[in-house]
Amino acid sequence: MPVIQVSLIRGYSGELKQRLCKQLTDAVRHSIAADPDGITVLLHEVEPDAYMRGGRPRTPGGASDDEAVGEAPADVVRSFLEAMEARDMPRAERLLDEDFTMTFPGGVEMTRLEELVVWAGERYRFVRKRIDAFDTCDEGDYVTVVCHGELHGEWPDGTPFAGVRFIDRFELRHGRLLRQQVWNDLALARS
């Protein structure tokens, strides 16, 4: 079974090291038909004064930007969706990339959360999501997170609805939401 050995300059957080081990395990699983229990990841740490490159001492690099935000990509998406449901726009906006865009059924594109609130207000009083799963995929400079589940809420006249399927696809850049694409069956449920 595969054994991966990584050398790090001492100084990274335990949380970051655990996440690195998990992501390395996942990378092997996606490349080799290996049982996760058979994949070993070993992190070796060296003291900063025991390491040189180019004849000069080095210090550990900074954490990835998604750790700087403080959350793994799926947690960023979950925080965003929770903030939107609570209509906590300042919290939601802190998670957005400056080039954020969103696309909703019917090809409706928006770049500001205020636009979404106005647009959605004509369609329903409120909507909540029951999320069944998050799937995360690293794509070089971007991380894609897809979540799916069911919507429930109330139409503008107060009539409740439930069991409406949805899929949200998010792209994150440097730990911030760059793009959201939404698919759901609200139009079918309303008819």
PDB file of all heavy atoms in Angstrom, residues 98-137:
ATOM      1  N   GLU A  98     -13.988  39.209  -4.547  1.00  0.00           N
ATOM      2  CA  GLU A  98     -14.387  40.491  -5.162  1.00  0.00           C
ATOM      3  C   GLU A  98     -15.032  40.305  -6.534  1.00  0.00           C
ATOM      4  O   GLU A  98     -15.776  41.164  -6.987  1.00  0.00           O
ATOM      5  CB  GLU A  98     -13.189  41.427  -5.258  1.00  0.00           C
ATOM      6  CG  GLU A  98     -12.081  40.907  -6.142  1.00  0.00           C
ATOM      7  CD  GLU A  98     -10.834  41.779  -6.117  1.00  0.00           C
ATOM      8  OE1 GLU A  98     -10.665  42.572  -5.174  1.00  0.00           O
ATOM      9  OE2 GLU A  98     -10.043  41.666  -7.064  1.00  0.00           O
ATOM     10  N   ASP A  99     -14.783  39.167  -7.205  1.00  0.00           N
ATOM     11  CA  ASP A  99     -15.371  38.897  -8.525  1.00  0.00           C
ATOM     12  C   ASP A  99     -16.544  37.924  -8.459  1.00  0.00           C
ATOM     13  O   ASP A  99     -16.874  37.268  -9.450  1.00  0.00           O
ATOM     14  CB  ASP A  99     -14.289  38.329  -9.461  1.00  0.00           C
ATOM     15  CG  ASP A  99     -13.172  39.318  -9.710  1.00  0.00           C
ATOM     16  OD1 ASP A  99     -13.453  40.530  -9.813  1.00  0.00           O
ATOM     17  OD2 ASP A  99     -12.012  38.876  -9.800  1.00  0.00           O
ATOM     18  N   PHE A 100     -17.187  37.818  -7.296  1.00  0.00           N
ATOM     19  CA  PHE A 100     -18.275  36.857  -7.089  1.00  0.00           C
ATOM     20  C   PHE A 100     -19.417  37.048  -8.093  1.00  0.00           C
ATOM     21  O   PHE A 100     -19.852  38.171  -8.341  1.00  0.00           O
ATOM     22  CB  PHE A 100     -18.820  37.001  -5.671  1.00  0.00           C
ATOM     23  CG  PHE A 100     -19.981  36.104  -5.365  1.00  0.00           C
ATOM     24  CD1 PHE A 100     -19.800  34.746  -5.203  1.00  0.00           C
ATOM     25  CD2 PHE A 100     -21.262  36.626  -5.227  1.00  0.00           C
ATOM     26  CE1 PHE A 100     -20.870  33.905  -4.908  1.00  0.00           C
ATOM     27  CE2 PHE A 100     -22.331  35.807  -4.920  1.00  0.00           C
ATOM     28  CZ  PHE A 100     -22.137  34.446  -4.770  1.00  0.00           C
ATOM     29  N   THR A 101     -19.880  35.929  -8.648  1.00  0.00           N
ATOM     30  CA  THR A 101     -21.079  35.914  -9.496  1.00  0.00           C
ATOM     31  C   THR A 101     -21.940  34.725  -9.094  1.00  0.00           C
ATOM     32  O   THR A 101     -21.438  33.733  -8.566  1.00  0.00           O
ATOM     33  CB  THR A 101     -20.748  35.788 -10.999  1.00  0.00           C
ATOM     34  OG1 THR A 101     -20.075  34.548 -11.226  1.00  0.00           O
ATOM     35  CG2 THR A 101     -19.900  36.949 -11.484  1.00  0.00           C
ATOM     36  N   MET A 102     -23.230  34.832  -9.358  1.00  0.00           N
ATOM     37  CA  MET A 102     -24.153  33.727  -9.087  1.00  0.00           C
ATOM     38  C   MET A 102     -25.123  33.605 -10.242  1.00  0.00           C
ATOM     39  O   MET A 102     -25.526  34.607 -10.838  1.00  0.00           O
ATOM     40  CB  MET A 102     -24.860  33.913  -7.757  1.00  0.00           C
ATOM     41  CG  MET A 102     -25.551  35.221  -7.570  1.00  0.00           C
ATOM     42  SD  MET A 102     -25.948  35.526  -5.831  1.00  0.00           S
ATOM     43  CE  MET A 102     -25.646  37.281  -5.783  1.00  0.00           C
ATOM     44  N   THR A 103     -25.472  32.363 -10.557  1.00  0.00           N
ATOM     45  CA  THR A 103     -26.401  32.080 -11.648  1.00  0.00           C
ATOM     46  C   THR A 103     -27.510  31.190 -11.112  1.00  0.00           C
ATOM     47  O   THR A 103     -27.238  30.150 -10.499  1.00  0.00           O
ATOM     48  CB  THR A 103     -25.680  31.370 -12.817  1.00  0.00           C
ATOM     49  OG1 THR A 103     -24.557  32.148 -13.205  1.00  0.00           O
ATOM     50  CG2 THR A 103     -26.621  31.188 -13.996  1.00  0.00           C
ATOM     51  N   PHE A 104     -28.744  31.594 -11.357  1.00  0.00           N
ATOM     52  CA  PHE A 104     -29.917  30.871 -10.872  1.00  0.00           C
ATOM     53  C   PHE A 104     -30.709  30.312 -12.041  1.00  0.00           C
ATOM     54  O   PHE A 104     -30.477  30.692 -13.196  1.00  0.00           O
ATOM     55  CB  PHE A 104     -30.777  31.809 -10.005  1.00  0.00           C
ATOM     56  CG  PHE A 104     -30.173  32.043  -8.660  1.00  0.00           C
ATOM     57  CD1 PHE A 104     -29.184  33.002  -8.482  1.00  0.00           C
ATOM     58  CD2 PHE A 104     -30.551  31.274  -7.571  1.00  0.00           C
ATOM     59  CE1 PHE A 104     -28.591  33.199  -7.259  1.00  0.00           C
ATOM     60  CE2 PHE A 104     -29.959  31.467  -6.332  1.00  0.00           C
ATOM     61  CZ  PHE A 104     -28.980  32.428  -6.170  1.00  0.00           C
ATOM     62  N   PRO A 105     -31.658  29.399 -11.759  1.00  0.00           N
ATOM     63  CA  PRO A 105     -32.449  28.808 -12.845  1.00  0.00           C
ATOM     64  C   PRO A 105     -33.021  29.880 -13.776  1.00  0.00           C
ATOM     65  O   PRO A 105     -33.410  30.961 -13.340  1.00  0.00           O
ATOM     66  CB  PRO A 105     -33.560  28.068 -12.094  1.00  0.00           C
ATOM     67  CG  PRO A 105     -32.907  27.673 -10.789  1.00  0.00           C
ATOM     68  CD  PRO A 105     -32.035  28.851 -10.453  1.00  0.00           C
ATOM     69  N   GLY A 106     -33.011  29.551 -15.055  1.00  0.00           N
ATOM     70  CA  GLY A 106     -33.453  30.501 -16.068  1.00  0.00           C
ATOM     71  C   GLY A 106     -32.322  31.383 -16.556  1.00  0.00           C
ATOM     72  O   GLY A 106     -32.538  32.319 -17.315  1.00  0.00           O
ATOM     73  N   GLY A 107     -31.091  31.102 -16.109  1.00  0.00           N
ATOM     74  CA  GLY A 107     -29.931  31.879 -16.544  1.00  0.00           C
ATOM     75  C   GLY A 107     -29.828  33.250 -15.902  1.00  0.00           C
ATOM     76  O   GLY A 107     -29.132  34.124 -16.409  1.00  0.00           O
ATOM     77  N   VAL A 108     -30.508  33.462 -14.787  1.00  0.00           N
ATOM     78  CA  VAL A 108     -30.467  34.750 -14.091  1.00  0.00           C
ATOM     79  C   VAL A 108     -29.108  34.899 -13.409  1.00  0.00           C
ATOM     80  O   VAL A 108     -28.754  34.090 -12.549  1.00  0.00           O
ATOM     81  CB  VAL A 108     -31.608  34.852 -13.056  1.00  0.00           C
ATOM     82  CG1 VAL A 108     -31.527  36.152 -12.290  1.00  0.00           C
ATOM     83  CG2 VAL A 108     -32.959  34.691 -13.730  1.00  0.00           C
ATOM     84  N   GLU A 109     -28.351  35.924 -13.816  1.00  0.00           N
ATOM     85  CA  GLU A 109     -27.024  36.162 -13.250  1.00  0.00           C
ATOM     86  C   GLU A 109     -27.033  37.423 -12.404  1.00  0.00           C
ATOM     87  O   GLU A 109     -27.631  38.429 -12.778  1.00  0.00           O
ATOM     88  CB  GLU A 109     -25.988  36.279 -14.358  1.00  0.00           C
ATOM     89  CG  GLU A 109     -25.752  34.963 -15.060  1.00  0.00           C
ATOM     90  CD  GLU A 109     -24.534  34.974 -15.961  1.00  0.00           C
ATOM     91  OE1 GLU A 109     -23.633  35.821 -15.753  1.00  0.00           O
ATOM     92  OE2 GLU A 109     -24.483  34.134 -16.868  1.00  0.00           O
ATOM     93  N   MET A 110     -26.332  37.335 -11.273  1.00  0.00           N
ATOM     94  CA  MET A 110     -26.221  38.470 -10.360  1.00  0.00           C
ATOM     95  C   MET A 110     -24.815  38.513  -9.781  1.00  0.00           C
ATOM     96  O   MET A 110     -24.121  37.496  -9.777  1.00  0.00           O
ATOM     97  CB  MET A 110     -27.244  38.334  -9.226  1.00  0.00           C
ATOM     98  CG  MET A 110     -28.686  38.468  -9.678  1.00  0.00           C
ATOM     99  SD  MET A 110     -29.836  38.032  -8.360  1.00  0.00           S
ATOM    100  CE  MET A 110     -30.335  36.406  -8.906  1.00  0.00           C
ATOM    101  N   THR A 111     -24.447  39.685  -9.287  1.00  0.00           N
ATOM    102  CA  THR A 111     -23.132  39.837  -8.667  1.00  0.00           C
ATOM    103  C   THR A 111     -23.219  40.373  -7.240  1.00  0.00           C
ATOM    104  O   THR A 111     -22.225  40.365  -6.532  1.00  0.00           O
ATOM    105  CB  THR A 111     -22.244  40.798  -9.494  1.00  0.00           C
ATOM    106  OG1 THR A 111     -22.890  42.066  -9.593  1.00  0.00           O
ATOM    107  CG2 THR A 111     -21.968  40.238 -10.881  1.00  0.00           C
ATOM    108  N   ARG A 112     -24.391  40.834  -6.831  1.00  0.00           N
ATOM    109  CA  ARG A 112     -24.544  41.400  -5.485  1.00  0.00           C
ATOM    110  C   ARG A 112     -25.658  40.671  -4.740  1.00  0.00           C
ATOM    111  O   ARG A 112     -26.706  40.366  -5.312  1.00  0.00           O
ATOM    112  CB  ARG A 112     -24.852  42.891  -5.558  1.00  0.00           C
ATOM    113  CG  ARG A 112     -23.677  43.704  -6.137  1.00  0.00           C
ATOM    114  CD  ARG A 112     -23.978  45.192  -6.262  1.00  0.00           C
ATOM    115  NE  ARG A 112     -25.259  45.413  -6.904  1.00  0.00           N
ATOM    116  CZ  ARG A 112     -26.269  46.122  -6.365  1.00  0.00           C
ATOM    117  NH1 ARG A 112     -26.125  46.715  -5.216  1.00  0.00           N
ATOM    118  NH2 ARG A 112     -27.398  46.276  -7.010  1.00  0.00           N
ATOM    119  N   LEU A 113     -25.439  40.439  -3.466  1.00  0.00           N
ATOM    120  CA  LEU A 113     -26.424  39.716  -2.662  1.00  0.00           C
ATOM    121  C   LEU A 113     -27.732  40.481  -2.557  1.00  0.00           C
ATOM    122  O   LEU A 113     -28.805  39.872  -2.471  1.00  0.00           O
ATOM    123  CB  LEU A 113     -25.858  39.419  -1.272  1.00  0.00           C
ATOM    124  CG  LEU A 113     -24.606  38.532  -1.251  1.00  0.00           C
ATOM    125  CD1 LEU A 113     -24.152  38.296   0.183  1.00  0.00           C
ATOM    126  CD2 LEU A 113     -24.839  37.220  -1.982  1.00  0.00           C
ATOM    127  N   GLU A 114     -27.667  41.810  -2.584  1.00  0.00           N
ATOM    128  CA  GLU A 114     -28.893  42.612  -2.528  1.00  0.00           C
ATOM    129  C   GLU A 114     -29.791  42.310  -3.732  1.00  0.00           C
ATOM    130  O   GLU A 114     -31.016  42.283  -3.611  1.00  0.00           O
ATOM    131  CB  GLU A 114     -28.575  44.109  -2.478  1.00  0.00           C
ATOM    132  CG  GLU A 114     -27.818  44.544  -1.249  1.00  0.00           C
ATOM    133  CD  GLU A 114     -26.315  44.256  -1.328  1.00  0.00           C
ATOM    134  OE1 GLU A 114     -25.774  44.023  -2.439  1.00  0.00           O
ATOM    135  OE2 GLU A 114     -25.685  44.246  -0.265  1.00  0.00           O
ATOM    136  N   GLU A 115     -29.180  42.097  -4.896  1.00  0.00           N
ATOM    137  CA  GLU A 115     -29.949  41.738  -6.095  1.00  0.00           C
ATOM    138  C   GLU A 115     -30.694  40.426  -5.864  1.00  0.00           C
ATOM    139  O   GLU A 115     -31.860  40.285  -6.245  1.00  0.00           O
ATOM    140  CB  GLU A 115     -29.023  41.545  -7.303  1.00  0.00           C
ATOM    141  CG  GLU A 115     -28.327  42.777  -7.809  1.00  0.00           C
ATOM    142  CD  GLU A 115     -27.348  42.408  -8.907  1.00  0.00           C
ATOM    143  OE1 GLU A 115     -26.232  41.935  -8.594  1.00  0.00           O
ATOM    144  OE2 GLU A 115     -27.722  42.583 -10.092  1.00  0.00           O
ATOM    145  N   LEU A 116     -30.012  39.476  -5.263  1.00  0.00           N
ATOM    146  CA  LEU A 116     -30.619  38.171  -5.000  1.00  0.00           C
ATOM    147  C   LEU A 116     -31.811  38.299  -4.066  1.00  0.00           C
ATOM    148  O   LEU A 116     -32.861  37.695  -4.299  1.00  0.00           O
ATOM    149  CB  LEU A 116     -29.572  37.221  -4.409  1.00  0.00           C
ATOM    150  CG  LEU A 116     -30.095  35.878  -3.913  1.00  0.00           C
ATOM    151  CD1 LEU A 116     -30.778  35.102  -5.033  1.00  0.00           C
ATOM    152  CD2 LEU A 116     -28.962  35.076  -3.290  1.00  0.00           C
ATOM    153  N   VAL A 117     -31.678  39.093  -3.008  1.00  0.00           N
ATOM    154  CA  VAL A 117     -32.762  39.239  -2.041  1.00  0.00           C
ATOM    155  C   VAL A 117     -33.996  39.820  -2.719  1.00  0.00           C
ATOM    156  O   VAL A 117     -35.122  39.342  -2.520  1.00  0.00           O
ATOM    157  CB  VAL A 117     -32.313  40.099  -0.838  1.00  0.00           C
ATOM    158  CG1 VAL A 117     -33.485  40.456   0.056  1.00  0.00           C
ATOM    159  CG2 VAL A 117     -31.233  39.371  -0.047  1.00  0.00           C
ATOM    160  N   VAL A 118     -33.817  40.831  -3.563  1.00  0.00           N
ATOM    161  CA  VAL A 118     -34.950  41.441  -4.278  1.00  0.00           C
ATOM    162  C   VAL A 118     -35.561  40.432  -5.242  1.00  0.00           C
ATOM    163  O   VAL A 118     -36.783  40.246  -5.289  1.00  0.00           O
ATOM    164  CB  VAL A 118     -34.502  42.730  -5.020  1.00  0.00           C
ATOM    165  CG1 VAL A 118     -35.596  43.235  -5.949  1.00  0.00           C
ATOM    166  CG2 VAL A 118     -34.109  43.798  -4.014  1.00  0.00           C
ATOM    167  N   TRP A 119     -34.721  39.767  -6.015  1.00  0.00           N
ATOM    168  CA  TRP A 119     -35.191  38.788  -7.001  1.00  0.00           C
ATOM    169  C   TRP A 119     -35.953  37.652  -6.317  1.00  0.00           C
ATOM    170  O   TRP A 119     -37.028  37.258  -6.750  1.00  0.00           O
ATOM    171  CB  TRP A 119     -33.989  38.241  -7.774  1.00  0.00           C
ATOM    172  CG  TRP A 119     -34.294  37.194  -8.783  1.00  0.00           C
ATOM    173  CD1 TRP A 119     -34.777  37.382 -10.047  1.00  0.00           C
ATOM    174  CD2 TRP A 119     -34.118  35.785  -8.634  1.00  0.00           C
ATOM    175  NE1 TRP A 119     -34.908  36.170 -10.694  1.00  0.00           N
ATOM    176  CE2 TRP A 119     -34.508  35.177  -9.838  1.00  0.00           C
ATOM    177  CE3 TRP A 119     -33.667  34.977  -7.597  1.00  0.00           C
ATOM    178  CZ2 TRP A 119     -34.470  33.801 -10.042  1.00  0.00           C
ATOM    179  CZ3 TRP A 119     -33.624  33.607  -7.784  1.00  0.00           C
ATOM    180  CH2 TRP A 119     -34.021  33.033  -9.002  1.00  0.00           C
ATOM    181  N   ALA A 120     -35.405  37.124  -5.218  1.00  0.00           N
ATOM    182  CA  ALA A 120     -36.032  36.006  -4.515  1.00  0.00           C
ATOM    183  C   ALA A 120     -37.327  36.434  -3.832  1.00  0.00           C
ATOM    184  O   ALA A 120     -38.264  35.634  -3.710  1.00  0.00           O
ATOM    185  CB  ALA A 120     -35.068  35.425  -3.488  1.00  0.00           C
ATOM    186  N   GLY A 121     -37.408  37.690  -3.386  1.00  0.00           N
ATOM    187  CA  GLY A 121     -38.594  38.175  -2.686  1.00  0.00           C
ATOM    188  C   GLY A 121     -39.860  38.090  -3.507  1.00  0.00           C
ATOM    189  O   GLY A 121     -40.956  37.978  -2.962  1.00  0.00           O
ATOM    190  N   GLU A 122     -39.721  38.103  -4.815  1.00  0.00           N
ATOM    191  CA  GLU A 122     -40.885  37.975  -5.696  1.00  0.00           C
ATOM    192  C   GLU A 122     -41.282  36.515  -5.890  1.00  0.00           C
ATOM    193  O   GLU A 122     -42.361  36.236  -6.398  1.00  0.00           O
ATOM    194  CB  GLU A 122     -40.568  38.598  -7.054  1.00  0.00           C
ATOM    195  CG  GLU A 122     -40.236  40.073  -6.977  1.00  0.00           C
ATOM    196  CD  GLU A 122     -39.716  40.626  -8.299  1.00  0.00           C
ATOM    197  OE1 GLU A 122     -39.695  39.890  -9.302  1.00  0.00           O
ATOM    198  OE2 GLU A 122     -39.322  41.803  -8.306  1.00  0.00           O
ATOM    199  N   ARG A 123     -40.415  35.585  -5.488  1.00  0.00           N
ATOM    200  CA  ARG A 123     -40.647  34.170  -5.752  1.00  0.00           C
ATOM    201  C   ARG A 123     -41.102  33.394  -4.521  1.00  0.00           C
ATOM    202  O   ARG A 123     -41.828  32.423  -4.623  1.00  0.00           O
ATOM    203  CB  ARG A 123     -39.373  33.546  -6.320  1.00  0.00           C
ATOM    204  CG  ARG A 123     -39.196  33.986  -7.752  1.00  0.00           C
ATOM    205  CD  ARG A 123     -37.779  33.951  -8.228  1.00  0.00           C
ATOM    206  NE  ARG A 123     -37.706  34.408  -9.609  1.00  0.00           N
ATOM    207  CZ  ARG A 123     -37.820  35.664 -10.000  1.00  0.00           C
ATOM    208  NH1 ARG A 123     -38.028  36.608  -9.131  1.00  0.00           N
ATOM    209  NH2 ARG A 123     -37.751  35.994 -11.272  1.00  0.00           N
ATOM    210  N   TYR A 124     -40.604  33.784  -3.338  1.00  0.00           N
ATOM    211  CA  TYR A 124     -40.989  33.105  -2.106  1.00  0.00           C
ATOM    212  C   TYR A 124     -40.752  34.022  -0.913  1.00  0.00           C
ATOM    213  O   TYR A 124     -39.964  34.957  -0.981  1.00  0.00           O
ATOM    214  CB  TYR A 124     -40.224  31.781  -1.912  1.00  0.00           C
ATOM    215  CG  TYR A 124     -38.755  31.863  -2.199  1.00  0.00           C
ATOM    216  CD1 TYR A 124     -37.863  32.421  -1.288  1.00  0.00           C
ATOM    217  CD2 TYR A 124     -38.236  31.372  -3.399  1.00  0.00           C
ATOM    218  CE1 TYR A 124     -36.515  32.500  -1.557  1.00  0.00           C
ATOM    219  CE2 TYR A 124     -36.882  31.444  -3.676  1.00  0.00           C
ATOM    220  CZ  TYR A 124     -36.030  32.000  -2.747  1.00  0.00           C
ATOM    221  OH  TYR A 124     -34.691  32.075  -3.012  1.00  0.00           O
ATOM    222  N   ARG A 125     -41.483  33.736   0.188  1.00  0.00           N
ATOM    223  CA  ARG A 125     -41.301  34.506   1.425  1.00  0.00           C
ATOM    224  C   ARG A 125     -39.965  34.163   2.071  1.00  0.00           C
ATOM    225  O   ARG A 125     -39.245  35.026   2.526  1.00  0.00           O
ATOM    226  CB  ARG A 125     -42.406  34.162   2.427  1.00  0.00           C
ATOM    227  CG  ARG A 125     -43.516  35.124   2.427  1.00  0.00           C
ATOM    228  CD  ARG A 125     -44.406  34.864   3.622  1.00  0.00           C
ATOM    229  NE  ARG A 125     -45.680  35.490   3.332  1.00  0.00           N
ATOM    230  CZ  ARG A 125     -46.742  35.352   4.056  1.00  0.00           C
ATOM    231  NH1 ARG A 125     -46.730  34.602   5.126  1.00  0.00           N
ATOM    232  NH2 ARG A 125     -47.857  35.962   3.717  1.00  0.00           N
ATOM    233  N   PHE A 126     -39.712  32.857   2.144  1.00  0.00           N
ATOM    234  CA  PHE A 126     -38.424  32.395   2.645  1.00  0.00           C
ATOM    235  C   PHE A 126     -38.178  30.993   2.117  1.00  0.00           C
ATOM    236  O   PHE A 126     -39.104  30.301   1.688  1.00  0.00           O
ATOM    237  CB  PHE A 126     -38.358  32.422   4.186  1.00  0.00           C
ATOM    238  CG  PHE A 126     -39.148  31.338   4.858  1.00  0.00           C
ATOM    239  CD1 PHE A 126     -38.585  30.096   5.128  1.00  0.00           C
ATOM    240  CD2 PHE A 126     -40.467  31.570   5.233  1.00  0.00           C
ATOM    241  CE1 PHE A 126     -39.327  29.101   5.751  1.00  0.00           C
ATOM    242  CE2 PHE A 126     -41.213  30.583   5.862  1.00  0.00           C
ATOM    243  CZ  PHE A 126     -40.641  29.343   6.118  1.00  0.00           C
ATOM    244  N   VAL A 127     -36.929  30.610   2.148  1.00  0.00           N
ATOM    245  CA  VAL A 127     -36.551  29.251   1.753  1.00  0.00           C
ATOM    246  C   VAL A 127     -35.430  28.790   2.675  1.00  0.00           C
ATOM    247  O   VAL A 127     -34.577  29.582   3.080  1.00  0.00           O
ATOM    248  CB  VAL A 127     -36.131  29.170   0.258  1.00  0.00           C
ATOM    249  CG1 VAL A 127     -34.843  29.918   0.003  1.00  0.00           C
ATOM    250  CG2 VAL A 127     -36.025  27.734  -0.198  1.00  0.00           C
ATOM    251  N   ARG A 128     -35.471  27.527   3.048  1.00  0.00           N
ATOM    252  CA  ARG A 128     -34.431  26.899   3.874  1.00  0.00           C
ATOM    253  C   ARG A 128     -33.944  25.656   3.131  1.00  0.00           C
ATOM    254  O   ARG A 128     -34.687  25.067   2.357  1.00  0.00           O
ATOM    255  CB  ARG A 128     -34.972  26.466   5.239  1.00  0.00           C
ATOM    256  CG  ARG A 128     -35.627  27.580   6.031  1.00  0.00           C
ATOM    257  CD  ARG A 128     -34.599  28.383   6.814  1.00  0.00           C
ATOM    258  NE  ARG A 128     -35.229  29.334   7.687  1.00  0.00           N
ATOM    259  CZ  ARG A 128     -35.478  30.594   7.378  1.00  0.00           C
ATOM    260  NH1 ARG A 128     -35.166  31.075   6.208  1.00  0.00           N
ATOM    261  NH2 ARG A 128     -36.038  31.410   8.249  1.00  0.00           N
ATOM    262  N   LYS A 129     -32.708  25.278   3.428  1.00  0.00           N
ATOM    263  CA  LYS A 129     -32.124  24.116   2.765  1.00  0.00           C
ATOM    264  C   LYS A 129     -31.847  23.020   3.781  1.00  0.00           C
ATOM    265  O   LYS A 129     -31.311  23.280   4.856  1.00  0.00           O
ATOM    266  CB  LYS A 129     -30.802  24.498   2.079  1.00  0.00           C
ATOM    267  CG  LYS A 129     -31.012  25.459   0.945  1.00  0.00           C
ATOM    268  CD  LYS A 129     -29.728  25.776   0.217  1.00  0.00           C
ATOM    269  CE  LYS A 129     -30.083  26.711  -0.939  1.00  0.00           C
ATOM    270  NZ  LYS A 129     -29.002  26.913  -1.857  1.00  0.00           N
ATOM    271  N   ARG A 130     -32.226  21.817   3.414  1.00  0.00           N
ATOM    272  CA  ARG A 130     -31.781  20.624   4.142  1.00  0.00           C
ATOM    273  C   ARG A 130     -30.724  19.998   3.248  1.00  0.00           C
ATOM    274  O   ARG A 130     -31.025  19.502   2.171  1.00  0.00           O
ATOM    275  CB  ARG A 130     -32.914  19.641   4.389  1.00  0.00           C
ATOM    276  CG  ARG A 130     -32.449  18.424   5.203  1.00  0.00           C
ATOM    277  CD  ARG A 130     -33.512  17.364   5.354  1.00  0.00           C
ATOM    278  NE  ARG A 130     -34.088  16.912   4.106  1.00  0.00           N
ATOM    279  CZ  ARG A 130     -33.506  16.058   3.246  1.00  0.00           C
ATOM    280  NH1 ARG A 130     -32.307  15.581   3.481  1.00  0.00           N
ATOM    281  NH2 ARG A 130     -34.135  15.686   2.148  1.00  0.00           N
ATOM    282  N   ILE A 131     -29.477  20.062   3.698  1.00  0.00           N
ATOM    283  CA  ILE A 131     -28.362  19.604   2.871  1.00  0.00           C
ATOM    284  C   ILE A 131     -28.087  18.136   3.165  1.00  0.00           C
ATOM    285  O   ILE A 131     -27.905  17.737   4.321  1.00  0.00           O
ATOM    286  CB  ILE A 131     -27.112  20.467   3.127  1.00  0.00           C
ATOM    287  CG1 ILE A 131     -27.419  21.917   2.719  1.00  0.00           C
ATOM    288  CG2 ILE A 131     -25.908  19.914   2.369  1.00  0.00           C
ATOM    289  CD1 ILE A 131     -26.360  22.919   3.103  1.00  0.00           C
ATOM    290  N   ASP A 132     -28.081  17.335   2.092  1.00  0.00           N
ATOM    291  CA  ASP A 132     -27.784  15.915   2.231  1.00  0.00           C
ATOM    292  C   ASP A 132     -26.291  15.634   2.204  1.00  0.00           C
ATOM    293  O   ASP A 132     -25.815  14.737   2.893  1.00  0.00           O
ATOM    294  CB  ASP A 132     -28.459  15.115   1.111  1.00  0.00           C
ATOM    295  CG  ASP A 132     -29.967  15.097   1.248  1.00  0.00           C
ATOM    296  OD1 ASP A 132     -30.480  15.237   2.371  1.00  0.00           O
ATOM    297  OD2 ASP A 132     -30.650  14.938   0.210  1.00  0.00           O
ATOM    298  N   ALA A 133     -25.538  16.378   1.379  1.00  0.00           N
ATOM    299  CA  ALA A 133     -24.106  16.095   1.257  1.00  0.00           C
ATOM    300  C   ALA A 133     -23.361  17.270   0.648  1.00  0.00           C
ATOM    301  O   ALA A 133     -23.944  18.094  -0.068  1.00  0.00           O
ATOM    302  CB  ALA A 133     -23.895  14.856   0.398  1.00  0.00           C
ATOM    303  N   PHE A 134     -22.075  17.308   0.947  1.00  0.00           N
ATOM    304  CA  PHE A 134     -21.126  18.221   0.314  1.00  0.00           C
ATOM    305  C   PHE A 134     -20.080  17.368  -0.391  1.00  0.00           C
ATOM    306  O   PHE A 134     -19.584  16.393   0.190  1.00  0.00           O
ATOM    307  CB  PHE A 134     -20.396  19.088   1.351  1.00  0.00           C
ATOM    308  CG  PHE A 134     -21.229  20.157   1.968  1.00  0.00           C
ATOM    309  CD1 PHE A 134     -21.842  19.947   3.187  1.00  0.00           C
ATOM    310  CD2 PHE A 134     -21.384  21.382   1.350  1.00  0.00           C
ATOM    311  CE1 PHE A 134     -22.601  20.936   3.784  1.00  0.00           C
ATOM    312  CE2 PHE A 134     -22.136  22.384   1.931  1.00  0.00           C
ATOM    313  CZ  PHE A 134     -22.751  22.162   3.149  1.00  0.00           C
ATOM    314  N   ASP A 135     -19.732  17.728  -1.613  1.00  0.00           N
ATOM    315  CA  ASP A 135     -18.646  17.081  -2.344  1.00  0.00           C
ATOM    316  C   ASP A 135     -17.651  18.164  -2.711  1.00  0.00           C
ATOM    317  O   ASP A 135     -18.032  19.208  -3.250  1.00  0.00           O
ATOM    318  CB  ASP A 135     -19.166  16.396  -3.621  1.00  0.00           C
ATOM    319  CG  ASP A 135     -20.151  15.283  -3.296  1.00  0.00           C
ATOM    320  OD1 ASP A 135     -19.812  14.430  -2.462  1.00  0.00           O
ATOM    321  OD2 ASP A 135     -21.253  15.280  -3.877  1.00  0.00           O
ATOM    322  N   THR A 136     -16.381  17.914  -2.418  1.00  0.00           N
ATOM    323  CA  THR A 136     -15.337  18.905  -2.657  1.00  0.00           C
ATOM    324  C   THR A 136     -14.299  18.345  -3.612  1.00  0.00           C
ATOM    325  O   THR A 136     -13.914  17.188  -3.506  1.00  0.00           O
ATOM    326  CB  THR A 136     -14.655  19.286  -1.329  1.00  0.00           C
ATOM    327  OG1 THR A 136     -15.647  19.764  -0.420  1.00  0.00           O
ATOM    328  CG2 THR A 136     -13.609  20.363  -1.524  1.00  0.00           C
ATOM    329  N   CYS A 137     -13.870  19.190  -4.542  1.00  0.00           N
ATOM    330  CA  CYS A 137     -12.863  18.798  -5.523  1.00  0.00           C
ATOM    331  C   CYS A 137     -11.865  19.937  -5.696  1.00  0.00           C
ATOM    332  O   CYS A 137     -12.260  21.073  -5.935  1.00  0.00           O
ATOM    333  CB  CYS A 137     -13.535  18.486  -6.855  1.00  0.00           C
ATOM    334  SG  CYS A 137     -12.384  18.086  -8.168  1.00  0.00           S
TER     335      CYS A 137
END
